[in-house]
Amino acid sequence: MAPVIGYWRPRGLLHPIRMLLVHTGVDFEDKVYPETSRDEWLKDKESLGLPMPNLPYYIDGDCKLTQSLAIIRYLARKHGLAGTNEEELIRTDLVECQVQDLRLALIKLGYHEYSEEAREKYLKETLANHLKLLSGYLGDHPWVAGNKMTYVDFLLHDTLDWHLFLDPTCLDGYQNLKDFLARFESQPNIKAFMESEKFLKWPIFGPMSKWGYDDAGSKLRFPD
Ligand SMILES: N[C@@H](CCC(=O)N[C@@H](CS)C(=O)NCC(=O)O)C(=O)O
């Protein structure tokens, strides 16, 4: 039986995991819980045999995982998308943590603080600082680890893509990050998936988010 990934409908924390599976060509099933009600998820929550029940989850026979980073690290080891030497491991660990800080910053802005003023401040201070660091560290390398694509590229891609919804011009001045996005999106399975009807561009966050559900902030990159 194909592995199952379970999550709410929005991209949220699941997206990099789904894209990694797509890239590897593994068959998988999406179990989508409607984000408008917790009932369906609560029915499954204690009955799936997850040691730490949460969303997203990944179930493949006896392998039952939650925690988005634990899932993607597991899949990276399984599919040859983890660092393989100390230099690659240091680079991927460092960027994974930096990207996680940036993801959490946008989650905080989106869910708790969103206003036009907060957005402006976030773009000028928080995001500008992170992009400078990430762009500088990536340098001329094609991938975060150096020459090898790893799971952290999926996290970085997703996080940069989130921010293009917040400000479609935010990567202007960071040509290596733009090239990185293009490189990632031109991987054959990823490209085909992104062009298919299965690919969900939006929404990124759930309906409790202030960003995306009540004003024009949601419509910056993909107006529909
Ligand atoms: N650190 C966890 C956070 C998981 C989390 O907060 N999941 C939210 C959606 S983003 C949820 O609705 N979980 C289901 C629940 O709490 O029952 C991860 O990275 O997977």
Side-chain angles (χ1 to χ4, degrees):
M1 238 170 71
V4 181
I5 49 176
Y7 197 57
W8 309 111
R9 192 180 67 91
R11 282 169 56 162
L13 301 177
L14 178 69
H15 192 76
I17 295 168
R18 183 187 287 121
M19 296 305 276
L20 188 147
L21 288 171
V22 164
H23 177 67
T24 57
V26 167
D27 263 350
F28 62 92
E29 186 192 318
D30 257 302
K31 169 66 188 168
V32 180
Y33 294 94
E35 72 274 32
T36 43
S37 155
R38 288 179 67 80
D39 295 353
E40 195 177 331
W41 160 237
L42 290 179
K43 262 189 243 150
D44 279 0
K45 187 167 181 174
E46 303 301 333
S47 62
L48 290 172
L50 296 162
M52 299 199 185
N54 214 331
L55 292 172
Y57 63 69
Y58 172 86
I59 299 180
D60 185 9
D62 290 339
C63 176
K64 298 186 177 192
L65 289 176
T66 49
Q67 288 295 342
S68 54
L69 291 176
I71 296 169
I72 202 165
R73 286 179 192 153
Y74 164 78
L75 291 172
R77 292 191 297 275
K78 188 174 159 103
H79 296 290
L81 287 164
T84 50
N85 58 46
E86 196 54 34
E87 191 190 343
E88 288 178 353
L89 290 167
I90 287 172
R91 290 188 62 87
T92 50
D93 285 355
L94 189 54
V95 176
E96 179 190 326
C97 295
Q98 188 73 32
V99 163
Q100 186 66 1
D101 286 353
L102 180 54
R103 286 166 84 76
L104 293 175
L106 185 56
I107 288 170
K108 186 165 160 243
L109 174 77
Y111 277 90
H112 305 296
E113 296 170 353
Y114 196 79
S115 68
E116 197 45 43
E117 199 187 347
R119 173 181 171 275
E120 286 301 316
K121 186 168 156 46
Y122 177 93
L123 290 173
K124 274 200 194 101
E125 296 175 11
T126 310
L127 183 62
N129 179 47
H130 277 276
L131 290 181
K132 194 168 156 230
L133 296 174
L134 289 166
S135 172
Y137 196 68
L138 184 65
D140 294 333
H141 300 104
W143 304 113
V144 166
N147 290 320
K148 178 185 162 61
M149 193 185 196
T150 66
Y151 72 101
V152 181
D153 296 307
F154 292 78
L155 296 170
L156 177 61
H157 175 273
D158 192 42
T159 307
L160 295 176
D161 195 50
W162 282 10
H163 285 84
L164 286 173
F165 287 93
L166 191 66
D167 175 5
T169 68
C170 71
L171 296 183
D172 290 0
Y174 299 103
Q175 191 55 46
N176 66 341
L177 295 180
K178 285 186 174 184
D179 292 346
F180 168 83
L181 286 186
R183 188 175 301 119
F184 182 94
E185 291 172 17
S186 69
Q187 300 303 301
N189 289 355
I190 290 173
K191 185 169 188 296
F193 185 72
M194 289 182 78
E195 285 166 358
S196 78
E197 284 183 0
K198 288 189 201 154
F199 180 64
L200 181 77
K201 292 179 285 202
W202 186 262
I204 293 172
F205 295 161
M208 303 297 280
S209 160
K210 295 184 181 178
W211 175 47
Y213 285 88
D214 59 358
D215 68 17
S218 62
K219 308 284 170 80
L220 290 173
R221 193 174 176 210
F222 297 108
D224 53 341

